[in-house]
Structure formats: C-alpha cells, structure tokens
C-alpha cells in the first residue's frame, strides 16, 4: 500500500513505534523553533536537564510576542534568550525582527524536514512541505537535546482542493470554510494533508495561511505536497537549493477525505468569539467597525499586505475607523517601505506598526469598549485582545481593508466598482530581500554564558505521584476552555513567564478571580471541564501554574492535544469523564480516586473510580502510553528525565 506524504516524512524520521493511528511513535526532529514567551522555560529546562548544546540540525530563538518591552522584565527575558541561544548554539532573531512563523518560513523552513516548535502555530511551514508540530517547551527542550519527540500517531485526512478561487475569495476563506465545517475540535488527533488540482493555483504564502490556521481546528499539523510553486517560492527567497519534490504515493490511503471546491468560496468571516463562528461576510455587512488590524503569523506576509496597499492607493480610510498594519516580519516591512507601499498606506491613514505579535495577544491596540475590531489574525477567543467583552472578527486582509475604507463591514465584492478593481490579486515579489542583519548566527553569538535578570526564576518540580489522590472540585468549567483562560497572555501578565510563582497568581483568574488563593488554601484538588479542555496555545504554563498551586488532576470530557501532553509533563492526571458525570459533579464537591493511583497509573490501568462526596461513584479513563504513565507517576517529565539520566 502506498504512503501519504505525512507517513513518508514520519517514516524517514521514525525512531520508535509503528505508524498505526492511535499508537505512540517517537520521531527525530530536524529543526527547533522557540519564541520569547515560551522560550525562557525551554532554556531553563534545557539547563535543568544538564544539556550542553542543541543537537538538532537547526535551532532558532525568536523574540516576537512582547517586543514593546514595557517592563525591564521583558527586556531581561530577551537578553536571557540571546545568551541561551549563544551558549547552546541556536540562531537568535532579535526583538522586532518578526513573528517566529513568518521569519522561519522566510529563512529556514525546508520541505521534507521535521520541525518542533514551542508555539501552537508551528505548523505554518507545512505550506512548503515541512512536517511541523507545536509542542510544550519541555518537549522541545528534550528534542533539542537529541531526544525523540513522542506523539500519538494521528489519522491522516485528505483535504482535496478543486477549482480556483474566484475574485475576492482568498486562502483565508479556505481555512475559514474548513473551520465552519469541522469546528475548533474537528482536527484533534488528525493531520490535514492537502492535495488535488486546486493546490497548484495557490502560492506558498497562501498555503501557509491555511496550514497556520489548521491549528484552530486542533489538528496535529497540516501539510501540502511540494511542486513548481514551492520551487519558485524558495528561489525567490534565494533558497532554491532547499527544494525537494515530495508528495504522497498515488495509491496512498487516507482515514477520511474532505473536498473543498475553491470556486464555490466567497469572503467569509469569523464572528466573536471563537474561530469557528463562521458566516459569509455579506451576512454581517453594515456593522460599524472602529478598528482594523492587518498582520499576525496568519496574514502578515508581504504578499498579504500588498493587496491591502493596492486597495488603499490614492484613498483614505473612513474617519471613524483606525487601521493598523503590523507586518509579520521586518523583511516584509522593509520591502513594503522600499517599494513605496508603506508610504501609500500611511498616506491613506494607516498606523504602520513594528513587526510583532502584539495586538494578537492583547499587547497594544486594545479595542475601544463595546466596539467591533476586524483582524486578519487566527484567534478571537474572548478577552484575548485585552478587552474583556471584546467583539473581534477574523477575516482576510481584503475584507479588513474594505471595512477600513467603508467604516463598516462590507463584502469587498460590493466595493469593487468604487475601487475600480476586480480583485487586487495575490502576487509574489520577484525576490525577497532585507533584514538579514537581525538574525545572529550561532557562530557569531555574543554571549556564551546565561544572563539571568532578577525576574528569571527556576522551574518548580513536583514530587512523584502518591497512592492517594483526593481533594475538592476547585473549579467547574464549560467546553472549549482555552489556555488563554487558564493563563492569559496580555501585557501585565506576560512579563512573568519566567517567574512561575508570580505568574501562578493569575491562574484561571479570567474564569474566577479567587481561583489561585482558593487553590493554594485547599492544598490539592481537581479541575473539572467539558470538551476540548486546553485548546489554543502551547504554553506549558497552563499546566505548570495549576501544578504549582497544588492542582493534582483534571477531569474533562476531552482534552486538546498539546495541553494534554503538558499535563503529563507536569505530573497532572488527565482523566476523561462522560457527559453524565460532568453534569453531575458540582464545584466544591469532594473527589477521591478510589484506586492506589500511582500503582494503577504505572501498571497500565485505563479505568479509575471517582468517588464524589462519599455518595456516588463514576468511572473515568486514562488514555496514556506506557511512557506517559511513567512520566506522570514520577511527578512530570523533568524529574522523570533526571531520574532516567541518574539511573543510566
Ligand atoms: C498564541 O497565539 O496563543 C501564542 C501566544 O503564540 C501561544 C504561545 C504562548 O502562549 O506563548 C501559542 O500559540 O502557542
Ligand atoms: Fe503571535 Fe498571534 Fe501568531 Fe500566536 S497567533 S504566534 S500571538 S501572531
């Protein structure tokens, strides 16, 4: 039987297990990516593991999320990261040089390679045939140290693209359409592998918009085959030699197939506050818009901004609307500036910003109260913009620009006559250039020792698991709780990413302000949640901080992939419960796991008895590999790995 593209790349990198869906496999990682808000823990854990040098073919440290450096703590984090990159042999991309996924795509991503990144949108370079997966920082530290990355073998789903995009429909609409059909949990445990005649009509940057946002479906990763478009794109980047032709065998078999006819698509928009609340733009047309932002790792490339610049050429944005453009990389900014497009946009009234994640996680450009903000980003979880009851919509740069011109949501097709253009088109530059000075190569590193400011602490460790596990249901939550609920990003909190005791004070504060105090006082207990608990980012702080506060386990109907791995990594028991049990448990109930928990975890038990208030019992399941069970019972991956080295 032939292989899918995903199976081929996994097979080439397989060091443990077999490619059977649901079974655990270990793969070798070629490229490692980390950024400023997860990277500090990555390197602190790398240090705690006594590792000496990054062993991957390439490791890259980006500084992109908090580049405004509001507080010395942010700048200290960046200096620490520069020193860690120097000491351990990683490329260092300076603050302001751009968003990790954009810069990585421009400089390093290679077809056929495996990549692991401590950011959930790591799958972005799947658009040029790299198998790129997001993970928690500890998994990345171990993989950079030369260890295998373990993952449950996903099901490979074929997304067949047919036809060509009509005027004003974009790559963003392809992924919004998939979100409409599959929802934010429709991709969990799956890889989306694109194919079909529609693929060749999409350029690589369009493909990477799609693979970037496969993350919003909960997918393990998304990938395209390579072709003339990929070769051409790499050549324009000056990296033609990185091209390899890869694709599935003709007789490859997939677990499932989804067909999207590109020619049926129209401009779509995600309404507040979940990326799968999709409607055609025309359904919400007429809604006043006070803010428009173009940028992020989804639509921040040069080619994403160019159509917007063309739509704005010689025009002015509506006086009631603010428009911010934050290019995804400094290279994109430099090219737009040299070609005159940046000044064209400024003349139209655009506020041209530095290249940063910024507004995407509530750092700067917070929307006005009770107002609509249209963004080309990938996530609109409630409160993520920095405004608690925000109204953030997600759309293509074309739809966002049309709204800035009209001052309200408008289907860009209805503006075509006024603009005198059928479609601004999606063009690649002849060649990409600029901003090379902002990446420091390992051989030119400026530091060889770690520089830790006063805010950079240690990674707390947990004791091995006990026989007895009991405590109260500290908090009961709904479905689709995001890591932004568990540990928010935003400006005032982000600076504590390398100070776990302080950061823990904010744990689940968006759900219940008293949570951290109550958890500390209770000295142990459980979290209870519905489906898809922990969706969204890869931030391991969302497991580490509850652990620091004494939480012992999470009872949920289902878990998001990266968060579940992070729970194992920090020794928190992730048990699945059915809907009836979820409905019946109330916040404050006393919960006891009847079995000798540590023993049952180690011996492979799948079912656990949960006794509630000494009154009733239910069965909960633990879906874990033998490796994950050992990690859990040892109190997490850091103590587990240290013990393993000590034994060896
Ligand atoms: C996000 O988009 O939520 C982030 C901020 O990039 C996170 C990483 C983090 O929390 O530092 C992610 O996607 O993993
Ligand atoms: Fe940055 Fe937003 Fe992309 Fe996360 S989703 S990497 S915060 S731009």
């Amino acid at each position: 039987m032939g292989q899918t593209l995903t199976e081929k790349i996994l097979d080439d990198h397989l060091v443990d297990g077999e490619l059977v869906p649901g079974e655990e496999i270990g793969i070798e990682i070629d490229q490692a990516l980390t950024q400023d808000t997860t990277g500090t823990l990555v390197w602190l854990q790398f240090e705690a593991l006594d590792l000496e040098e990054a062993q991957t073919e390439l490791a890259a440290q980006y500084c992109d999320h908090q580049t405004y450096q509001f507080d010395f703590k942010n700048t200290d984090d960046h200096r620490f990261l520069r020193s860690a990159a120097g000491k351990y042999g990683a490329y260092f991309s300076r603050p302001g040089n751009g968003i990790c996924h954009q810069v990585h795509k421009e400089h390093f991503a290679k077809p056929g390679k495996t990549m692991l990144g401590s950011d959930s949108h790591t799958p972005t370079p799947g658009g040029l045939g790299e198998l790129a997966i997001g993970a928690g920082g500890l998994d990345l530290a171990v993989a950079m140290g030369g260890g295998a990355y373990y993952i449950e073998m996903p099901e490979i789903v074929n997304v067949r693209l047919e036809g060509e995009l009509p005027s004003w429909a974009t790559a963003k609409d392809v992924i919004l359409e998939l979100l409409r059909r599959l929802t934010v949990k429709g991709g969990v445990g799956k890889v989306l592998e694109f194919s079909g005649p529609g693929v060749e009509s999409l350029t690589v940057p369009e493909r990477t918009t799609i693979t970037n946002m496969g993350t919003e479906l909960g997918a393990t990763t998304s990938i395209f085959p390579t072709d003339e478009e990929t070769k051409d794109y790499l050549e324009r980047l000056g990296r033609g030699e990185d091209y390899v032709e890869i694709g599935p065998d003709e007789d490859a078999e997939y677990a499932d197939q989804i067909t999207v006819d590109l020619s049926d698509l129209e401009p779509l928009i995600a309404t507040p506050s979940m990326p799968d609340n999709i409607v055609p733009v025309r359904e919400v047309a007429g809604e006043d818009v006070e803010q428009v932002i173009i940028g992020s790792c989804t639509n921040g490339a040069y080619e994403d901004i160019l159509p917007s610049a063309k739509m704005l050429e010689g025009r002015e944005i509506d006086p009631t609307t603010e428009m911010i453009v934050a290019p995804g990389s400094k290279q994109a900014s430099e090219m737009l500036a040299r070609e005159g497009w940046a000044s064209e946009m400024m003349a139209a009234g655009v506020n041209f910003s530095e290249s940063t994640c910024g507004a995407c996680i509530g750092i700067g450009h917070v929307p006005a109260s009770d107002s609509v903000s249209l963004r080309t980003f990938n996530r609109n979880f409630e409160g993520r913009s920095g405004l608690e009851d925000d109204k953030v919509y997600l759309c293509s740069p074309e739809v966002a620009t049309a709204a800035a011109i009209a001052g309200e949501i408008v289907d860009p097709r209805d503006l075509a006559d006024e603009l005198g253009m059928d479609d601004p088109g999606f063009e690649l530059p002849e060649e990409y250039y600029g901003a090379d000075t902002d990446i420091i190569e390992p051989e030119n590193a400026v530091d060889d020792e770690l520089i830790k400011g006063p805010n950079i602490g240690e990674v707390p460790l947990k004791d091995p698991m006990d026989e007895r596990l009991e405590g109260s249901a500290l908090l009961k939550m709904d479905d689709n709780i995001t890591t932004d609920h568990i540990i928010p990003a935003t400006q005032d909190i982000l600076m504590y990413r390398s100070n776990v005791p302080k950061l823990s004070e904010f744990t689940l504060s968006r759900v219940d302000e008293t949570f951290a105090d109550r958890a500390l006082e209770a000295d142990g207990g459980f979290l209870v949640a519905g489906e898809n608990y922990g969706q969204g980012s890869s931030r391991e702080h969302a497991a580490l901080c509850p652990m620091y506060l004494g939480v012992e386990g999470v009872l949920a109907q289902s878990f998001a992939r990266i968060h579940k791995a992070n729970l194992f990594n920090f020794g928190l028991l992730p048990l699945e419960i059915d809907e009836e049990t979820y409905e019946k448990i109330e916040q404050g109930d006393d919960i006891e796991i009847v079995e000798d928990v540590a023993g049952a975890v180690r011996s492979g038990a799948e079912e656990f008895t949960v006794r509630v208030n000494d009154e009733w019992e239910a069965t909960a399941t633990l879906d874990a590999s033998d490796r994950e069970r050992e990690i859990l019972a040892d109190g997490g991956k850091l103590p587990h790995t240290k013990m393993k080295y000590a034994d060896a």
Side-chain angles (χ1 to χ4, degrees):
M1 191 178 78
Q3 285 187 310
T4 64
L5 170 55
T6 309
E7 286 166 334
K8 285 187 185 178
I9 301 180
L10 287 175
D11 220 1
D12 273 355
H13 292 81
L14 198 65
V15 290
D16 210 351
E18 281 176 47
L19 303 184
V20 178
E23 298 285 304
E24 189 172 74
I25 53 167
I27 54 169
E28 190 188 346
I29 295 299
D30 299 324
Q31 298 197 336
L33 165 152
T34 180
Q35 38 91 333
D36 49 356
T37 53
T38 55
T40 51
L41 278 193
V42 169
W43 296 115
L44 287 170
Q45 295 175 121
F46 199 85
E47 183 192 28
L49 289 168
D50 294 323
L51 295 167
E52 281 171 11
E53 203 176 355
Q55 303 293 316
T56 41
E57 280 174 22
L58 177 135
Q61 170 67 59
Y62 298 92
C63 296
D64 48 0
H65 283 64
Q66 182 31 317
T67 63
Y68 295 124
Q69 303 173 330
F70 286 110
D71 191 285
F72 79 89
K73 299 182 193 70
N74 306 127
T75 329
D76 275 15
D77 277 352
H78 290 151
R79 186 178 55 188
F80 169 68
L81 295 172
R82 190 193 67 195
S83 71
K87 179 170 162 86
Y88 297 123
Y91 284 81
F92 180 71
S93 173
R94 285 173 166 153
N97 187 41
I99 302 174
C100 52
H101 312 300
Q102 284 292 339
V103 182
H104 199 85
K105 175 178 79 177
E106 288 162 359
H107 290 264
F108 302 119
K110 282 190 191 171
K113 298 283 179 187
T114 53
M115 167 155 109
L116 198 69
S118 62
D119 191 280
S120 64
H121 291 101
T122 299
T124 309
L128 52 73
E130 180 159 39
L131 195 82
I133 302 176
L138 184 47
D139 284 331
L140 183 69
V142 169
M144 277 202 296
Y149 173 59
Y150 285 90
I151 190 175
E152 198 173 282
M153 176 65 195
E155 284 189 339
I156 321 293
V157 175
N158 178 217
V159 185
R160 189 177 158 81
L161 302 180
E162 291 176 351
E164 281 188 29
L165 287 169
S167 293
W168 300 101
T170 65
K172 185 64 162 273
D173 301 308
V174 178
I175 188 66
L176 294 183
E177 168 66 9
L178 286 170
L179 274 153
R180 187 184 72 76
R181 292 197 207 173
L182 304 178
T183 80
V184 289
K185 48 181 198 293
V188 177
K190 295 174 182 161
V191 171
L192 301 187
E193 199 173 303
F194 289 81
S195 74
V199 168
E200 65 188 41
S201 70
L202 299 171
T203 63
V204 169
E206 288 173 296
R207 297 175 191 179
T208 58
T209 290
I210 297 171
T211 46
N212 171 282
M213 252 184 109
T215 296
E216 274 45 64
L217 296 159
T220 303
T221 189
S222 308
I223 191 163
F224 279 76
T226 62
D227 57 11
E228 282 304 307
E229 275 298 328
T230 325
K231 189 162 176 251
D232 173 69
Y233 177 70
L234 286 167
E235 276 164 4
R236 288 173 201 251
L237 284 170
R239 299 203 281 121
E241 69 284 0
D242 289 343
Y243 179 72
V244 283
E245 195 187 317
I246 47 168
D249 289 329
E250 266 179 31
D251 55 346
E253 279 188 20
Y254 291 90
D256 202 356
Q257 183 174 315
I258 302 167
T259 305
V260 179
D261 188 341
L262 301 178
S263 57
D264 285 344
L265 294 179
E266 62 173 315
L268 297 174
I269 194 162
T271 61
S273 291
M274 218 22 100
D276 60 1
N277 287 341
I278 309 294
V279 297
V281 172
R282 62 185 151 75
E283 271 184 30
V284 284
E287 178 93 52
D288 281 342
V289 174
E290 289 192 23
Q291 185 190 56
V292 165
I293 312 186
I294 295 193
S296 88
C297 57
T298 315
N299 279 125
Y302 167 88
E303 314 77 27
D304 292 309
I305 300 171
L306 196 57
S308 169
K310 289 187 182 165
M311 288 168 73
L312 289 173
E313 193 174 8
R315 288 189 182 76
E316 280 180 26
I317 60 170
D318 188 87
T320 61
T321 308
E322 272 186 48
M323 180 169 178
I324 297 121
V325 174
S329 71
K330 208 187 208 183
Q331 182 178 79
S333 300
E334 190 176 332
M335 289 169 61
L336 290 162
R338 287 190 194 277
E339 288 161 20
W341 292 111
S343 40
E344 221 31 270
M345 294 182 107
M346 287 184 210
V350 165
N351 174 358
F352 215 77
S353 148
E354 74 181 71
S355 298
T356 180
C357 295
C360 182
I361 35 165
I363 298 173
H365 304 302
V366 176
S369 56
D370 195 26
S371 71
V372 167
S373 174
L374 241 67
R375 301 172 166 205
T376 66
F377 304 172
N378 46 33
R379 293 185 167 155
N380 58 347
F381 303 141
E382 193 178 7
R384 185 173 157 98
S385 67
L387 174 70
E388 227 16 80
D389 50 355
D390 53 11
K391 288 191 259 177
V392 175
Y393 291 68
L394 308 171
C395 59
S396 67
E398 285 81 345
V399 172
T401 310
I405 294 171
E408 57 182 38
I409 299 181
V410 55
D411 186 321
R413 292 172 297 185
D414 293 337
L415 218 60
D417 283 349
E418 187 184 326
L419 293 175
M421 53 173 71
D422 182 31
D423 186 329
F426 193 91
E427 276 169 49
L428 304 188
E430 293 247 310
E431 58 166 343
Y432 293 82
Y433 54 85
D436 279 346
T437 46
D438 274 324
I439 296 185
I440 302 175
E441 300 184 357
E443 38 291 10
N444 299 328
V446 276
D447 317 283
D448 53 11
E449 285 310 322
L450 297 179
I451 308 175
K452 292 184 187 172
N455 185 50
I456 296 173
E458 297 206 340
V459 186
L461 293 180
K462 190 176 187 296
D463 291 331
M465 195 166 238
D466 274 339
E467 277 178 29
R468 304 246 38 85
L469 208 60
E470 55 192 330
S472 69
L474 294 165
L475 192 63
K476 183 171 174 183
M477 296 167 273
D478 297 333
D479 289 346
N480 293 326
I481 290 293
T482 69
T483 51
D484 279 314
H485 289 104
I486 309 171
I487 284 292
T490 64
Q491 178 195 325
D492 45 339
I493 304 181
L494 213 53
M495 62 185 150
Y496 298 115
R497 284 288 180 95
S498 37
N499 178 348
V500 176
K502 180 70 191 165
L503 187 67
S504 298
E505 294 173 14
F506 300 95
T507 310
L508 285 159
S509 57
R510 292 208 18 235
V511 184
D512 172 1
E513 272 181 19
T514 66
F515 178 78
D517 290 341
R518 289 198 297 108
L520 273 180
E521 209 170 299
D523 193 23
F526 297 85
L527 298 173
V528 179
E531 300 276 4
N532 201 22
Y533 178 70
Q535 70 154 330
S537 94
S538 69
R539 65 191 72 143
E540 57 194 337
H541 307 80
L544 179 52
C545 292
M547 179 276 260
Y548 181 78
L549 297 175
V551 172
E552 302 274 2
V554 184
L555 307 178
Q557 282 178 257
S558 64
F559 294 89
R561 179 186 66 87
I562 306 180
H563 187 61
K564 187 171 173 193
N566 286 336
L567 290 173
F568 285 124
N569 284 352
F570 293 99
L572 269 67
L573 182 66
L575 287 182
E576 276 164 47
I577 51 174
D578 60 19
E579 193 176 350
E580 198 189 329
T581 311
Y582 167 76
E583 295 295 347
K584 223 168 146 190
I585 297 182
E586 286 179 19
Q587 187 164 314
D589 281 354
D590 288 325
I591 293 181
E592 184 195 347
I593 310 288
V594 174
E595 291 78 11
D596 155 7
V597 185
V601 165
R602 280 194 206 277
S603 67
E606 286 175 6
E607 297 199 338
F608 288 74
T609 314
V610 180
R611 181 175 295 153
V612 183
N613 292 334
D614 250 338
E615 284 166 8
W616 56 277
E617 288 183 356
T619 303
T621 51
L622 175 66
D623 174 16
S625 66
D626 292 347
R627 191 191 55 88
E628 285 165 334
R629 287 168 182 276
E630 290 301 314
I631 289 175
L632 196 56
D634 287 347
K637 190 163 177 164
L638 203 52
H640 167 82
T641 314
K642 275 176 162 286
M643 278 182 221
K644 249 177 54 180
Y645 284 139
D647 291 349

